[in-house]
């Protein structure tokens, strides 16, 4: 399990995981919720690496291929969450029992020669 | 609005031996029920039905097709005649048990797909049919036995 490359993104968006709940809504509008687990899943993390050199693109591509696309889980290093305190990093970067996986292949947009922008979408799932 | 937390405890004893116990609510934890430990496994159990005829209730348990769950089926002789005790617990917000239901099933087989293993069970007891005890066909009841299946009770 190779860590994601230690790169600081130019933008980062994050969503906490959701709990496994099913909802039944009656015609009256009354709602019953049923919970089937005590841990959240499906954390999402979107990273953008804007105007980065080819070496950075290569390292992301190599990592994607090394993980078999979305097959193998991995950890995200603290550099990716640069700017967050260690307390917050514990909640969003390394939630208990969660591993990160690629949602889709990284998207690369060429800017100029040897400079590209890369977008990576990850999901945090229960191990 | 009401909220119910549901935990299922799966206790299977294959015909070939090797009892296994799992629960599906407390992720990555062991839980004690009746003095024995249940490991976490991501299964779901559904499909239990009852009808007025009192037929066997059928239930299916789905596991992800992992090395561990395939072994569960293979070592259990394809889930034939395994004994399942399925306990469903309703939990409160503190995850303490509020209510509990226990059901007993017998394994009738299993099937595989690329992502899932389905274990099928039914209740051990069927209802007593209207013809119990079974009637015996005798010449006095049906007359001369025909060579086809058209037998009528007289």
């Amino acid at each position: 399990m190779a860590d994601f490359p230690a790169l600081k993104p130019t933008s980062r968006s994050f969503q906490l995981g959701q709990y496994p709940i099913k909802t039944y809504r009656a015609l009256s509008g009354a709602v019953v919720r049923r919970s089937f687990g005590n841990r959240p899943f499906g954390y999402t993390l979107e990273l953008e690496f804007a105007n980065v050199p080819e070496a950075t693109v290569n390292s992301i591509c190599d990592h994607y291929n090394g993980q078999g696309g979305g097959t193998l889980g991995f950890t995200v290093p603290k550099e990716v969450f640069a700017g967050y305190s260690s307390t917050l990093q514990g909640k969003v970067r390394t939630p208990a029992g969660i591993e990160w996986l690629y949602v889709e292949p990284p998207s690369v947009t060429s800017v100029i020669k040897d400079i590209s922008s890369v977008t990576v979408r990850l999901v945090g799932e229960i191990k | 609005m009401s909220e119910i937390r549901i935990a299922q405890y799966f206790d299977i004893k294959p015909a070939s031996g090797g009892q296994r116990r799992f629960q599906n609510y407390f992720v990555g934890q062991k839980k004690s029920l009746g003095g024995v430990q249940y490991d976490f496994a991501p299964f779901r159990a559904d499909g239990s039905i009852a009808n007025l005829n009192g037929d066997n209730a059928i239930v299916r348990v789905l596991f992800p097709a992992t090395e561990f769950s395939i072994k569960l089926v293979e070592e259990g002789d394809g889930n034939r005649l395994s004994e399942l005790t399925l306990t469903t617990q309703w939990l409160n917000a503190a995850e303490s048990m509020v209510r509990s239901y226990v059901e007993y099933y017998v394994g009738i087989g299993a099937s595989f797909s690329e992502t899932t293993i389905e274990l099928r069970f039914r209740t051990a007891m069927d209802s007593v049919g209207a013809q119990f005890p079974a009637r015996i066909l005798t010449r006095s009841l049906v007359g001369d036995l025909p060579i086809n299946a058209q037998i009528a009770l007289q």
Side-chain angles (χ1 to χ4, degrees):
Chain A
M1 185 173 76
D3 286 1
F4 188 80
L7 303 167
K8 287 183 185 173
T10 44
S11 76
R12 176 181 63 213
S13 69
F14 177 83
Q15 188 175 31
L16 285 171
Q18 57 186 316
Y19 283 81
I21 291 173
K22 284 190 181 277
T23 303
Y24 167 76
R25 184 179 293 278
L27 290 173
S28 65
V31 167
V32 175
R33 291 178 189 276
R34 297 197 167 195
S35 169
F36 295 93
N38 67 342
R39 290 267 184 87
F41 68 97
Y43 292 74
T44 61
L45 175 61
E46 188 167 331
L47 305 170
E48 187 182 3
F49 302 91
N51 304 320
V52 292
E54 193 175 303
T56 302
V57 181
N58 272 327
S59 67
I60 293 172
C61 292
D62 290 345
H63 184 260
Y64 172 74
N65 289 325
Q67 300 307 116
T71 309
L72 301 174
F74 53 88
T75 55
V76 174
K78 59 185 180 187
E79 288 81 358
V80 172
F81 283 92
Y84 281 2
S85 68
S86 58
T87 306
L88 187 52
Q89 286 219 9
K91 292 173 185 165
V92 300
R93 184 174 71 86
T94 53
I98 291 293
E99 64 181 359
W100 293 98
L101 298 135
Y102 284 95
V103 175
E104 60 186 17
S107 172
V108 182
T109 307
S110 296
V111 179
I112 56 172
K113 185 174 184 292
D114 292 338
I115 298 292
S116 301
S117 293
V118 185
T119 303
V120 174
R121 293 183 63 214
L122 306 178
V123 62
E125 299 286 15
I126 295 171
K127 286 182 199 174
Chain B
M1 188 193 82
S2 63
E3 183 183 335
I4 302 168
R5 294 160 196 261
I6 296 174
Q8 290 177 311
Y9 290 76
F10 173 94
D11 182 342
I12 191 167
K13 195 160 85 178
S16 54
Q19 195 162 5
R20 292 169 189 267
R21 299 183 181 94
F22 307 105
Q23 53 84 21
N24 65 358
Y25 185 88
F26 301 95
V27 179
Q29 298 174 40
K30 287 189 179 200
K31 281 287 163 182
S32 178
L33 176 69
V36 292
Q37 295 286 313
Y38 287 71
D39 290 321
F40 171 75
F43 71 88
R44 61 181 286 188
D46 59 25
S48 183
I49 55 168
N51 60 34
L52 290 176
N53 294 329
D55 297 341
N56 293 105
I58 304 291
V59 70
R60 64 176 191 161
V61 179
L62 299 175
F63 281 88
T66 60
E67 182 185 349
F68 146 79
S69 54
I70 291 170
K71 193 184 289 185
L72 178 71
V73 177
E74 296 297 338
E75 290 180 357
D77 194 21
N79 194 39
R80 281 188 288 272
L81 296 177
S82 58
E83 296 171 23
L84 169 66
T85 304
L86 186 66
T87 305
T88 303
Q89 284 189 345
W90 289 19
L91 310 172
N92 61 18
E95 296 179 341
S96 300
M97 188 187 72
V98 177
R99 203 167 293 171
S100 180
Y101 305 95
V102 183
E103 295 160 291
Y104 302 94
Y105 296 95
V106 174
I108 56 173
S111 61
F112 296 81
S113 75
E114 69 274 24
T115 56
T116 313
I117 286 179
E118 178 183 320
L119 306 180
R120 292 188 298 276
F121 300 88
R122 67 181 183 186
T123 46
M125 295 293 287
D126 205 347
S127 63
V128 175
Q131 297 298 317
F132 181 82
R135 301 179 75 173
I136 298 169
L137 293 178
T138 62
R139 183 164 294 178
S140 63
L141 280 174
V142 299
D144 292 335
L145 288 171
I147 56 173
N148 58 23
Q150 293 176 345
I151 299 173
L153 292 175
Q154 298 175 341

PDB file of all heavy atoms in Angstrom, chain B residues 47-70:
ATOM      1  N   GLY B  47     -35.169 -11.255   3.497  1.00  0.00           N
ATOM      2  CA  GLY B  47     -36.012 -12.133   2.705  1.00  0.00           C
ATOM      3  C   GLY B  47     -36.869 -13.089   3.497  1.00  0.00           C
ATOM      4  O   GLY B  47     -37.560 -13.912   2.909  1.00  0.00           O
ATOM      5  N   SER B  48     -36.862 -12.999   4.808  1.00  0.00           N
ATOM      6  CA  SER B  48     -37.690 -13.915   5.580  1.00  0.00           C
ATOM      7  C   SER B  48     -39.162 -13.564   5.393  1.00  0.00           C
ATOM      8  O   SER B  48     -39.556 -12.409   5.550  1.00  0.00           O
ATOM      9  CB  SER B  48     -37.326 -13.820   7.057  1.00  0.00           C
ATOM     10  OG  SER B  48     -38.090 -14.750   7.782  1.00  0.00           O
ATOM     11  N   ILE B  49     -39.944 -14.548   5.024  1.00  0.00           N
ATOM     12  CA  ILE B  49     -41.369 -14.285   4.791  1.00  0.00           C
ATOM     13  C   ILE B  49     -42.202 -15.349   5.494  1.00  0.00           C
ATOM     14  O   ILE B  49     -41.732 -16.441   5.790  1.00  0.00           O
ATOM     15  CB  ILE B  49     -41.717 -14.296   3.288  1.00  0.00           C
ATOM     16  CG1 ILE B  49     -41.267 -15.624   2.650  1.00  0.00           C
ATOM     17  CG2 ILE B  49     -41.092 -13.124   2.573  1.00  0.00           C
ATOM     18  CD1 ILE B  49     -41.815 -15.832   1.270  1.00  0.00           C
ATOM     19  N   ALA B  50     -43.415 -15.010   5.758  1.00  0.00           N
ATOM     20  CA  ALA B  50     -44.359 -15.984   6.316  1.00  0.00           C
ATOM     21  C   ALA B  50     -45.660 -15.827   5.549  1.00  0.00           C
ATOM     22  O   ALA B  50     -46.011 -14.728   5.122  1.00  0.00           O
ATOM     23  CB  ALA B  50     -44.580 -15.714   7.800  1.00  0.00           C
ATOM     24  N   ASN B  51     -46.376 -16.910   5.331  1.00  0.00           N
ATOM     25  CA  ASN B  51     -47.669 -16.798   4.667  1.00  0.00           C
ATOM     26  C   ASN B  51     -48.697 -17.663   5.385  1.00  0.00           C
ATOM     27  O   ASN B  51     -48.365 -18.421   6.308  1.00  0.00           O
ATOM     28  CB  ASN B  51     -47.550 -17.145   3.186  1.00  0.00           C
ATOM     29  CG  ASN B  51     -47.048 -18.561   2.971  1.00  0.00           C
ATOM     30  OD1 ASN B  51     -47.359 -19.454   3.758  1.00  0.00           O
ATOM     31  ND2 ASN B  51     -46.280 -18.766   1.924  1.00  0.00           N
ATOM     32  N   LEU B  52     -49.947 -17.539   4.945  1.00  0.00           N
ATOM     33  CA  LEU B  52     -51.031 -18.208   5.654  1.00  0.00           C
ATOM     34  C   LEU B  52     -50.931 -19.723   5.555  1.00  0.00           C
ATOM     35  O   LEU B  52     -51.458 -20.440   6.386  1.00  0.00           O
ATOM     36  CB  LEU B  52     -52.384 -17.740   5.102  1.00  0.00           C
ATOM     37  CG  LEU B  52     -52.750 -16.296   5.444  1.00  0.00           C
ATOM     38  CD1 LEU B  52     -54.061 -15.914   4.769  1.00  0.00           C
ATOM     39  CD2 LEU B  52     -52.884 -16.128   6.946  1.00  0.00           C
ATOM     40  N   ASN B  53     -50.271 -20.210   4.497  1.00  0.00           N
ATOM     41  CA  ASN B  53     -50.138 -21.655   4.357  1.00  0.00           C
ATOM     42  C   ASN B  53     -49.096 -22.234   5.302  1.00  0.00           C
ATOM     43  O   ASN B  53     -48.978 -23.445   5.428  1.00  0.00           O
ATOM     44  CB  ASN B  53     -49.750 -22.008   2.915  1.00  0.00           C
ATOM     45  CG  ASN B  53     -50.855 -21.668   1.957  1.00  0.00           C
ATOM     46  OD1 ASN B  53     -52.035 -21.713   2.315  1.00  0.00           O
ATOM     47  ND2 ASN B  53     -50.480 -21.286   0.748  1.00  0.00           N
ATOM     48  N   GLY B  54     -48.330 -21.351   5.918  1.00  0.00           N
ATOM     49  CA  GLY B  54     -47.333 -21.825   6.875  1.00  0.00           C
ATOM     50  C   GLY B  54     -46.164 -22.529   6.238  1.00  0.00           C
ATOM     51  O   GLY B  54     -45.551 -23.405   6.836  1.00  0.00           O
ATOM     52  N   ASP B  55     -45.856 -22.149   4.987  1.00  0.00           N
ATOM     53  CA  ASP B  55     -44.699 -22.769   4.331  1.00  0.00           C
ATOM     54  C   ASP B  55     -43.416 -22.374   5.065  1.00  0.00           C
ATOM     55  O   ASP B  55     -43.400 -21.448   5.862  1.00  0.00           O
ATOM     56  CB  ASP B  55     -44.602 -22.289   2.878  1.00  0.00           C
ATOM     57  CG  ASP B  55     -45.803 -22.717   2.067  1.00  0.00           C
ATOM     58  OD1 ASP B  55     -46.490 -23.646   2.501  1.00  0.00           O
ATOM     59  OD2 ASP B  55     -46.055 -22.097   1.016  1.00  0.00           O
ATOM     60  N   ASN B  56     -42.342 -23.065   4.718  1.00  0.00           N
ATOM     61  CA  ASN B  56     -41.047 -22.691   5.279  1.00  0.00           C
ATOM     62  C   ASN B  56     -40.753 -21.231   4.972  1.00  0.00           C
ATOM     63  O   ASN B  56     -40.970 -20.778   3.863  1.00  0.00           O
ATOM     64  CB  ASN B  56     -39.924 -23.521   4.655  1.00  0.00           C
ATOM     65  CG  ASN B  56     -40.019 -24.970   5.031  1.00  0.00           C
ATOM     66  OD1 ASN B  56     -40.407 -25.782   4.217  1.00  0.00           O
ATOM     67  ND2 ASN B  56     -39.673 -25.283   6.251  1.00  0.00           N
ATOM     68  N   ALA B  57     -40.254 -20.505   5.964  1.00  0.00           N
ATOM     69  CA  ALA B  57     -39.791 -19.147   5.714  1.00  0.00           C
ATOM     70  C   ALA B  57     -38.388 -19.228   5.131  1.00  0.00           C
ATOM     71  O   ALA B  57     -37.556 -20.000   5.590  1.00  0.00           O
ATOM     72  CB  ALA B  57     -39.785 -18.339   7.001  1.00  0.00           C
ATOM     73  N   ILE B  58     -38.154 -18.448   4.084  1.00  0.00           N
ATOM     74  CA  ILE B  58     -36.863 -18.450   3.395  1.00  0.00           C
ATOM     75  C   ILE B  58     -36.095 -17.193   3.785  1.00  0.00           C
ATOM     76  O   ILE B  58     -36.670 -16.115   3.868  1.00  0.00           O
ATOM     77  CB  ILE B  58     -37.063 -18.462   1.866  1.00  0.00           C
ATOM     78  CG1 ILE B  58     -37.921 -19.652   1.447  1.00  0.00           C
ATOM     79  CG2 ILE B  58     -35.716 -18.459   1.154  1.00  0.00           C
ATOM     80  CD1 ILE B  58     -37.271 -20.990   1.605  1.00  0.00           C
ATOM     81  N   VAL B  59     -34.826 -17.334   4.029  1.00  0.00           N
ATOM     82  CA  VAL B  59     -33.992 -16.173   4.286  1.00  0.00           C
ATOM     83  C   VAL B  59     -32.694 -16.342   3.502  1.00  0.00           C
ATOM     84  O   VAL B  59     -32.247 -17.471   3.260  1.00  0.00           O
ATOM     85  CB  VAL B  59     -33.710 -15.993   5.794  1.00  0.00           C
ATOM     86  CG1 VAL B  59     -32.781 -17.078   6.316  1.00  0.00           C
ATOM     87  CG2 VAL B  59     -33.127 -14.626   6.096  1.00  0.00           C
ATOM     88  N   ARG B  60     -32.150 -15.236   3.052  1.00  0.00           N
ATOM     89  CA  ARG B  60     -30.866 -15.300   2.368  1.00  0.00           C
ATOM     90  C   ARG B  60     -29.896 -14.365   3.074  1.00  0.00           C
ATOM     91  O   ARG B  60     -30.287 -13.309   3.578  1.00  0.00           O
ATOM     92  CB  ARG B  60     -30.977 -14.943   0.892  1.00  0.00           C
ATOM     93  CG  ARG B  60     -31.407 -13.534   0.661  1.00  0.00           C
ATOM     94  CD  ARG B  60     -31.415 -13.189  -0.798  1.00  0.00           C
ATOM     95  NE  ARG B  60     -31.594 -11.748  -0.946  1.00  0.00           N
ATOM     96  CZ  ARG B  60     -31.305 -11.077  -2.030  1.00  0.00           C
ATOM     97  NH1 ARG B  60     -30.811 -11.679  -3.069  1.00  0.00           N
ATOM     98  NH2 ARG B  60     -31.503  -9.775  -2.080  1.00  0.00           N
ATOM     99  N   VAL B  61     -28.651 -14.780   3.112  1.00  0.00           N
ATOM    100  CA  VAL B  61     -27.599 -13.982   3.737  1.00  0.00           C
ATOM    101  C   VAL B  61     -26.556 -13.702   2.666  1.00  0.00           C
ATOM    102  O   VAL B  61     -26.074 -14.620   2.003  1.00  0.00           O
ATOM    103  CB  VAL B  61     -26.968 -14.724   4.930  1.00  0.00           C
ATOM    104  CG1 VAL B  61     -25.869 -13.890   5.559  1.00  0.00           C
ATOM    105  CG2 VAL B  61     -28.032 -15.058   5.967  1.00  0.00           C
ATOM    106  N   LEU B  62     -26.260 -12.420   2.465  1.00  0.00           N
ATOM    107  CA  LEU B  62     -25.322 -12.019   1.429  1.00  0.00           C
ATOM    108  C   LEU B  62     -23.994 -11.606   2.053  1.00  0.00           C
ATOM    109  O   LEU B  62     -23.965 -10.788   2.977  1.00  0.00           O
ATOM    110  CB  LEU B  62     -25.885 -10.847   0.625  1.00  0.00           C
ATOM    111  CG  LEU B  62     -27.192 -11.100  -0.113  1.00  0.00           C
ATOM    112  CD1 LEU B  62     -27.684  -9.825  -0.768  1.00  0.00           C
ATOM    113  CD2 LEU B  62     -27.007 -12.178  -1.160  1.00  0.00           C
ATOM    114  N   PHE B  63     -22.922 -12.170   1.550  1.00  0.00           N
ATOM    115  CA  PHE B  63     -21.558 -11.780   1.922  1.00  0.00           C
ATOM    116  C   PHE B  63     -20.854 -11.271   0.672  1.00  0.00           C
ATOM    117  O   PHE B  63     -21.141 -11.736  -0.430  1.00  0.00           O
ATOM    118  CB  PHE B  63     -20.762 -12.988   2.441  1.00  0.00           C
ATOM    119  CG  PHE B  63     -21.046 -13.375   3.855  1.00  0.00           C
ATOM    120  CD1 PHE B  63     -22.067 -14.258   4.153  1.00  0.00           C
ATOM    121  CD2 PHE B  63     -20.288 -12.862   4.895  1.00  0.00           C
ATOM    122  CE1 PHE B  63     -22.337 -14.625   5.458  1.00  0.00           C
ATOM    123  CE2 PHE B  63     -20.545 -13.230   6.205  1.00  0.00           C
ATOM    124  CZ  PHE B  63     -21.574 -14.101   6.488  1.00  0.00           C
ATOM    125  N   PRO B  64     -19.914 -10.335   0.819  1.00  0.00           N
ATOM    126  CA  PRO B  64     -19.079 -10.001  -0.341  1.00  0.00           C
ATOM    127  C   PRO B  64     -18.224 -11.208  -0.700  1.00  0.00           C
ATOM    128  O   PRO B  64     -17.836 -11.973   0.180  1.00  0.00           O
ATOM    129  CB  PRO B  64     -18.226  -8.830   0.161  1.00  0.00           C
ATOM    130  CG  PRO B  64     -18.233  -8.953   1.640  1.00  0.00           C
ATOM    131  CD  PRO B  64     -19.533  -9.580   2.018  1.00  0.00           C
ATOM    132  N   ALA B  65     -17.974 -11.384  -1.984  1.00  0.00           N
ATOM    133  CA  ALA B  65     -17.202 -12.554  -2.435  1.00  0.00           C
ATOM    134  C   ALA B  65     -15.724 -12.334  -2.158  1.00  0.00           C
ATOM    135  O   ALA B  65     -14.967 -11.903  -3.020  1.00  0.00           O
ATOM    136  CB  ALA B  65     -17.447 -12.805  -3.920  1.00  0.00           C
ATOM    137  N   THR B  66     -15.317 -12.610  -0.942  1.00  0.00           N
ATOM    138  CA  THR B  66     -13.913 -12.506  -0.562  1.00  0.00           C
ATOM    139  C   THR B  66     -13.383 -13.903  -0.286  1.00  0.00           C
ATOM    140  O   THR B  66     -14.152 -14.867  -0.203  1.00  0.00           O
ATOM    141  CB  THR B  66     -13.746 -11.655   0.709  1.00  0.00           C
ATOM    142  OG1 THR B  66     -14.484 -12.282   1.760  1.00  0.00           O
ATOM    143  CG2 THR B  66     -14.284 -10.241   0.506  1.00  0.00           C
ATOM    144  N   GLU B  67     -12.067 -13.988  -0.143  1.00  0.00           N
ATOM    145  CA  GLU B  67     -11.444 -15.287   0.130  1.00  0.00           C
ATOM    146  C   GLU B  67     -12.064 -15.922   1.363  1.00  0.00           C
ATOM    147  O   GLU B  67     -12.345 -17.115   1.412  1.00  0.00           O
ATOM    148  CB  GLU B  67      -9.949 -15.073   0.327  1.00  0.00           C
ATOM    149  CG  GLU B  67      -9.185 -16.355   0.572  1.00  0.00           C
ATOM    150  CD  GLU B  67      -7.722 -16.079   0.879  1.00  0.00           C
ATOM    151  OE1 GLU B  67      -7.291 -14.927   0.702  1.00  0.00           O
ATOM    152  OE2 GLU B  67      -7.035 -17.014   1.303  1.00  0.00           O
ATOM    153  N   PHE B  68     -12.310 -15.063   2.363  1.00  0.00           N
ATOM    154  CA  PHE B  68     -12.847 -15.556   3.621  1.00  0.00           C
ATOM    155  C   PHE B  68     -14.256 -16.146   3.448  1.00  0.00           C
ATOM    156  O   PHE B  68     -14.569 -17.215   3.958  1.00  0.00           O
ATOM    157  CB  PHE B  68     -12.842 -14.392   4.628  1.00  0.00           C
ATOM    158  CG  PHE B  68     -13.964 -14.395   5.580  1.00  0.00           C
ATOM    159  CD1 PHE B  68     -13.947 -15.227   6.669  1.00  0.00           C
ATOM    160  CD2 PHE B  68     -15.058 -13.561   5.387  1.00  0.00           C
ATOM    161  CE1 PHE B  68     -14.993 -15.244   7.548  1.00  0.00           C
ATOM    162  CE2 PHE B  68     -16.099 -13.569   6.254  1.00  0.00           C
ATOM    163  CZ  PHE B  68     -16.073 -14.414   7.346  1.00  0.00           C
ATOM    164  N   SER B  69     -15.121 -15.437   2.706  1.00  0.00           N
ATOM    165  CA  SER B  69     -16.496 -15.909   2.596  1.00  0.00           C
ATOM    166  C   SER B  69     -16.602 -17.113   1.670  1.00  0.00           C
ATOM    167  O   SER B  69     -17.448 -17.989   1.863  1.00  0.00           O
ATOM    168  CB  SER B  69     -17.421 -14.782   2.127  1.00  0.00           C
ATOM    169  OG  SER B  69     -16.959 -14.213   0.944  1.00  0.00           O
ATOM    170  N   ILE B  70     -15.726 -17.173   0.646  1.00  0.00           N
ATOM    171  CA  ILE B  70     -15.726 -18.361  -0.218  1.00  0.00           C
ATOM    172  C   ILE B  70     -15.331 -19.587   0.604  1.00  0.00           C
ATOM    173  O   ILE B  70     -15.920 -20.660   0.490  1.00  0.00           O
ATOM    174  CB  ILE B  70     -14.765 -18.152  -1.413  1.00  0.00           C
ATOM    175  CG1 ILE B  70     -15.351 -17.090  -2.350  1.00  0.00           C
ATOM    176  CG2 ILE B  70     -14.528 -19.456  -2.170  1.00  0.00           C
ATOM    177  CD1 ILE B  70     -14.415 -16.614  -3.424  1.00  0.00           C
TER     178      ILE B  70
END
